Amino acid sequence: MDEIDDRDEEEFGFSRNYFLAKELGGSGKKSTNKLSDIGLVDEQELRAAMANSEPKHEKEVSALMESYKSLYPQWVFELRCGFALLMYGFGSKKALLEDFASIALTEYSVIVINGYLQSINIKQVVVAMAEVLWDQLKSSGKTTSASLGKVQQPFSSRSMDDLLSFLNGSRKHENDFDICLVIHNIDGPGLRDSETQQYLAQIASCSHIRIVASVDHVNAPLLWDKKMVHTQFNWYWNHVPTFAPYTVEGVFFPLILSHGSASQSAKTATIILQSLTPNAQSVFKILAEYLLSHPDEEGMPIDSLYSISRERFIVSSQVTLNSHLTEFKDHELVKTRRNSDGQDCLYIPLAIEALAKTISEISQ
């Protein structure tokens, strides 16, 4: 009997300590991190320091890259079988793909897309492929006077559907192809929107085209649905870790530890916002969207922020809103000033471009 009582008392003590720990954890002190506490340095200085850093394991990386050359014939065979090649694994694959194209794809026309760039005009790429294919067909004598008349209109003025239809023309041998599209970072910022990925999938399914692409983001497969993967792209996955630094690709991305551009300011603000609660992020988003839509005003009145936040069931009282605002001010994300009418207004000390980028980051 005493043993049972001791066990009950032990379980009660454990339960009490558990809920006590939860209560204390919920009422803990707020983070003291501030935006200004991040020791940012000048971007040029940081890049210079990175350039002067001594590379490691150069011999091993070079030997690994050399070993992949034995796979080139297999990769060409996979292309001829109708597959698109998707190269994945840690390290930059830019040099590998370009070496493969220069050695093993010499009998084909190769067009390269640098997906790590911030913006890419996908129609210009399709126009370039159509022009290359047209030149090949003319030089090989495979065009007729009737087909010549159909393509008198410049490719640049034709619709995407017409261009894709031309690239998907009939072929003498079903799995043969004329153009190889090499895409560095098909998951890059200039290509990862849904519309561009749909166009790339349609390009991959064209009879005259084959794609060789690299991917680096861990969530890249989420860009494609089942039809795109198995029917259009028809990916053949190849694990080719190179452990090579992303030297070229990294030039086009802002460094988190540096300052000076809107992208970098947005990145540091996003880091702090992601550490806050979803409700706090929602309040910040309301304020930011108001400031973006009213660029001529000195800020957003606190009453207006409270009204909109309450209507959207984000806050239940002025006290709740004030707690969020205090947290924003502690992190130096939001500041207060009086407008010309003597009313206290809230504003965010970020440039318009940086503010818009911050909103897009926390909305993902």
Side-chain angles (χ1 to χ4, degrees):
M1 189 69 177
D2 291 339
E3 183 179 349
I4 296 177
D5 290 341
D6 291 342
R7 190 184 306 163
D8 290 342
E9 185 176 351
E10 182 180 351
E11 291 179 356
F12 174 76
F14 173 79
S15 301
R16 183 176 181 278
N17 291 335
Y18 172 80
F19 288 107
L20 182 61
K22 282 290 185 181
E23 183 179 352
L24 292 175
S27 60
K29 294 182 179 180
K30 294 182 298 182
S31 171
T32 58
N33 295 331
K34 297 180 181 179
L35 193 61
S36 59
D37 291 340
I38 301 178
L40 303 180
V41 299
D42 181 74
E43 181 173 358
Q44 292 183 350
E45 182 181 346
L46 184 55
R47 289 194 183 277
M50 292 174 61
N52 292 329
S53 61
E54 185 178 349
K56 298 180 179 180
H57 309 294
E58 285 185 296
K59 291 183 179 179
E60 291 81 0
V61 169
S62 179
L64 181 62
M65 294 285 287
E66 192 68 23
S67 69
Y68 288 136
K69 290 186 178 182
S70 63
L71 299 176
Y72 288 1
Q74 176 185 330
W75 294 350
V76 175
F77 175 73
E78 292 164 0
L79 289 172
R80 287 176 173 168
C81 287
F83 291 101
L85 305 184
L86 189 63
M87 310 303 192
Y88 71 100
F90 182 80
S92 172
K93 291 161 284 293
K94 187 175 188 297
L96 175 63
L97 265 60
E98 291 177 352
D99 187 66
F100 167 61
S102 64
I103 293 177
L105 299 177
T106 53
E107 60 181 290
Y108 306 101
S109 296
V110 177
I111 294 177
V112 178
I113 298 179
N114 295 320
Y116 49 78
L117 299 177
Q118 297 297 321
S119 60
I120 296 171
N121 189 324
I122 191 65
K123 183 172 182 180
Q124 289 182 356
V125 175
V126 178
V127 168
M129 288 192 293
E131 291 174 344
V132 169
L133 178 60
W134 179 245
D135 290 339
Q136 287 186 356
L137 294 177
K138 283 198 300 183
S139 62
S140 62
K142 296 180 181 179
T143 58
T144 63
S145 58
S147 62
L148 183 65
K150 293 180 181 179
V151 196
Q152 288 299 317
Q153 183 184 4
F155 284 111
S156 58
S157 61
R158 303 180 72 180
S159 67
M160 285 290 285
D161 290 339
D162 288 341
L163 293 168
L164 292 171
S165 178
F166 175 69
L167 295 174
N168 197 30
S170 60
R171 291 205 48 77
K172 184 176 181 180
H173 301 289
E174 182 179 353
N175 285 329
D176 200 4
F177 62 98
D178 296 286
I179 300 173
C180 184
L181 183 62
V182 175
I183 308 176
H184 299 301
N185 298 100
I186 195 173
D187 54 341
L191 298 174
R192 66 173 61 140
D193 62 280
S194 177
E195 182 180 16
T196 301
Q197 289 294 326
Q198 290 288 345
Y199 279 133
L200 289 174
Q202 293 178 57
I203 292 170
S205 63
C206 290
S207 59
H208 290 277
I209 310 297
R210 291 293 182 273
I211 287 182
V212 178
S214 66
V215 68
D216 283 290
H217 199 289
V218 67
N219 292 324
L222 298 177
L223 294 170
W224 313 305
D225 57 30
K226 187 175 181 180
K227 176 186 175 183
M228 295 168 71
V229 170
H230 298 293
T231 306
Q232 294 177 303
F233 282 119
N234 197 21
W235 290 125
Y236 195 105
W237 293 71
N238 289 281
H239 185 219
V240 286
T242 64
F243 301 96
Y246 295 91
T247 306
V248 177
E249 298 93 325
V251 170
F252 302 93
F253 284 86
L255 301 178
I256 294 177
L257 298 178
S258 65
H259 64 77
S261 72
S263 298
Q264 293 152 6
S265 299
K267 178 63 70 174
T268 54
T270 302
I271 292 172
I272 292 178
L273 282 168
Q274 288 175 342
S275 68
L276 304 181
T277 64
N279 279 355
Q281 294 180 23
S282 298
V283 172
F284 183 89
K285 187 177 178 181
I286 292 173
L287 174 59
E289 290 174 344
Y290 180 92
L291 296 176
L292 290 173
S293 60
H294 300 81
D296 297 331
E297 297 187 11
E298 298 175 80
M300 182 179 190
I302 298 178
D303 293 342
S304 299
L305 178 60
Y306 173 67
S307 299
I308 297 175
S309 300
R310 187 178 174 87
E311 288 173 2
R312 298 183 185 179
F313 301 101
I314 298 173
V315 301
S316 57
S317 65
Q318 185 72 47
V319 175
T320 307
L321 177 63
N322 290 340
S323 66
H324 290 315
L325 293 179
T326 300
E327 196 161 24
F328 295 152
K329 293 174 182 177
D330 288 344
H331 292 85
E332 298 184 357
L333 291 171
V334 173
K335 294 185 178 181
T336 306
R337 63 185 169 197
R338 289 187 182 274
N339 60 15
S340 55
D341 297 331
Q343 188 178 18
D344 287 337
C345 292
L346 302 168
Y347 73 98
I348 300 172
L350 290 175
I352 294 296
E353 183 182 349
L355 185 56
K357 187 171 183 63
T358 300
I359 291 301
S360 65
E361 290 286 341
I362 64 175
S363 298
Q364 293 178 357

